Amino acid sequence: MARLSNESPGYAFYAISIACLLIAQSIAYLASNFEFLSQVAWLGLFSFLYQWIIFIPSAYLRTAAYFDVAGSSGYFVLALYSLFRPGYFYTRQIIVTLCVLVWAARLGWLLYQRVQRAGGDSRFDEIKQHNARFFNMWSIQALWVFLVSLPVYCLNSNNADPTLGPQDMVGLGLWLVGFSIEVVADLQKTVHNTDPATQGSFIQTGLWNHSRHPNYFGEIVLWCGLLITSASTFDWPQYISICSPLFVTYLLLEVSGIPLLEAKADSKWGHDEEYRAYKERTPKLVPWFVTQPESDLGVPMISKTDDLESDVTQELSLIHI
């Protein structure tokens, strides 16, 4: 089957967009115990409307400048809406929603900085010239936002407030660990890339010495944590929310995350003995204790490369068809 491109008929992309909307509504229907037009279903619809509204000026101006902003702000706006629409404001709901807001605000800031440094977003140079294909990207992003945040939407729709217990503490602890790993990994990468002494080199220090993709690991862990805490109030149908961390994990491991980055790195540095040694000794995702070799000067070895590994938000915001 040929890969879709700008030469593909527009109806193919619109069909995918419709499929995304149907998937979101089907999952919402199941999570709401087969209740038609439940709060979760409205959130799924709102996710698409939000992205499509921002698509309109983007298509008119032929710009992708708003795409990443729409993604991160979508998490932010929908999380707030899911909390305020029923208006229960239970402690667990407030805490979990705040976790999403903090994560989304940081995501938006990082994406804004990335676009500013790059002077634009070259990922969409071709796509934005094809309205149907461009529209499809916004639809897929809407599904992305909805599925990843589903545990929070289910939690905030429940009129239930059991006492915070060990399950909640475990979940919030995992969120804190995952978020901290993501923040530290991205900070280390930023410092590494802006330091004249290491700028343009391949990072293999700090958390990057223990995992080739520590930011992705943190991303997966934090959403697992929010699922665990949110599940304290779930009815059985709402456990379909497990699709949230599973979806993130699948995309990062198999689709738009690690495979693409590692293939690009291998094509450029597969002949480099030091790179091969780094790849062989360092776990792909889950951090582990790794003894890093030292140069004759007693400092960790660094090999030159482009900035092949982005922060987690760079790959999360790019969806490949």
Side-chain angles (χ1 to χ4, degrees):
M1 182 177 179
R3 182 174 178 175
L4 295 176
S5 67
N6 279 14
E7 285 68 45
S8 302
Y11 67 79
F13 296 105
Y14 290 125
I16 295 175
S17 294
I18 294 173
C20 288
L21 178 59
L22 292 176
I23 290 172
Q25 288 302 304
S26 298
I27 292 176
Y29 185 63
L30 293 173
S32 304
N33 199 18
F34 308 106
E35 178 186 346
F36 185 65
L37 291 182
S38 64
Q39 175 177 313
V40 177
W42 278 113
L43 285 163
L45 181 60
F46 185 25
S47 180
F48 282 82
L49 291 176
Y50 184 82
Q51 298 298 324
W52 290 343
I53 289 172
I54 302 178
F55 159 77
I56 295 173
S58 300
Y60 178 78
L61 297 173
R62 298 290 184 189
T63 178
Y66 310 127
F67 187 80
D68 288 339
V69 174
S72 57
S73 63
Y75 285 105
F76 197 98
V77 172
L78 265 71
L80 279 179
Y81 181 74
S82 73
L83 177 66
F84 278 87
R85 186 170 187 268
Y88 299 132
F89 300 111
Y90 296 132
T91 301
R92 181 182 290 98
Q93 295 173 340
I94 294 173
I95 293 174
V96 171
T97 301
L98 283 174
C99 288
V100 176
L101 298 182
V102 169
W103 174 83
R106 176 183 173 274
L107 169 66
W109 176 245
L110 283 176
L111 292 174
Y112 173 78
Q113 288 184 313
R114 188 193 71 188
V115 172
Q116 291 300 307
R117 288 196 302 267
D121 197 335
S122 61
R123 299 171 300 166
F124 296 95
D125 287 347
E126 177 184 349
I127 295 174
K128 66 188 179 183
Q129 304 304 320
H130 190 294
N131 282 338
R133 189 182 183 191
F134 196 30
F135 177 78
N136 187 54
M137 299 300 291
W138 295 79
S139 299
I140 297 176
Q141 178 160 260
L143 177 63
W144 187 305
V145 171
F146 174 75
L147 288 182
V148 172
S149 302
L150 185 59
V152 184
Y153 303 155
C154 289
L155 167 66
N156 288 345
S157 69
N158 290 340
N159 186 8
D161 187 30
T163 303
L164 293 173
Q167 179 176 334
D168 300 288
M169 298 302 105
V170 169
L172 293 174
L174 283 175
W175 180 87
L176 183 60
V177 169
F179 184 72
S180 298
I181 290 174
E182 185 180 1
V183 170
V184 171
D186 288 339
L187 179 61
Q188 290 175 342
K189 187 73 175 195
T190 299
V191 171
H192 182 91
N193 289 336
T194 55
D195 186 344
T198 56
Q199 191 174 26
S201 63
F202 187 83
I203 184 172
Q204 51 179 313
T205 55
L207 291 176
W208 303 87
N209 178 48
H210 303 284
S211 168
R212 303 202 299 274
H213 305 274
N215 46 359
Y216 288 168
F217 175 74
E219 180 76 6
I220 293 169
V221 169
L222 72 86
W223 284 111
C224 286
L226 292 186
L227 171 65
I228 291 172
T229 298
S230 299
S232 297
T233 69
F234 282 1
D235 294 325
W236 280 109
Q238 294 176 323
Y239 280 98
I240 196 174
S241 297
I242 196 174
C243 68
S244 168
L246 291 180
F247 185 65
V248 172
T249 302
Y250 173 73
L251 286 174
L252 293 180
L253 286 178
E254 303 294 338
V255 183
S256 65
I258 292 174
L260 295 176
L261 292 173
E262 299 233 326
K264 187 176 181 181
D266 290 346
S267 67
K268 296 192 70 173
W269 306 105
H271 63 280
D272 188 301
E273 182 178 347
E274 184 179 340
Y275 167 77
R276 293 198 303 268
Y278 168 75
K279 187 174 181 180
E280 181 177 352
R281 71 173 180 266
T282 308
K284 178 187 294 186
L285 182 67
V286 181
W288 194 247
F289 297 100
V290 177
T291 302
Q292 187 177 33
E294 295 184 348
S295 67
D296 294 337
L297 298 177
V299 296
M301 294 190 296
I302 298 175
S303 58
K304 288 288 183 180
T305 182
D306 295 324
D307 186 9
L308 299 178
E309 175 66 42
S310 66
D311 53 46
V312 65
T313 53
Q314 177 169 348
E315 283 301 329
L316 282 176
S317 64
L318 178 58
I319 304 169
H320 294 264
I321 301 174

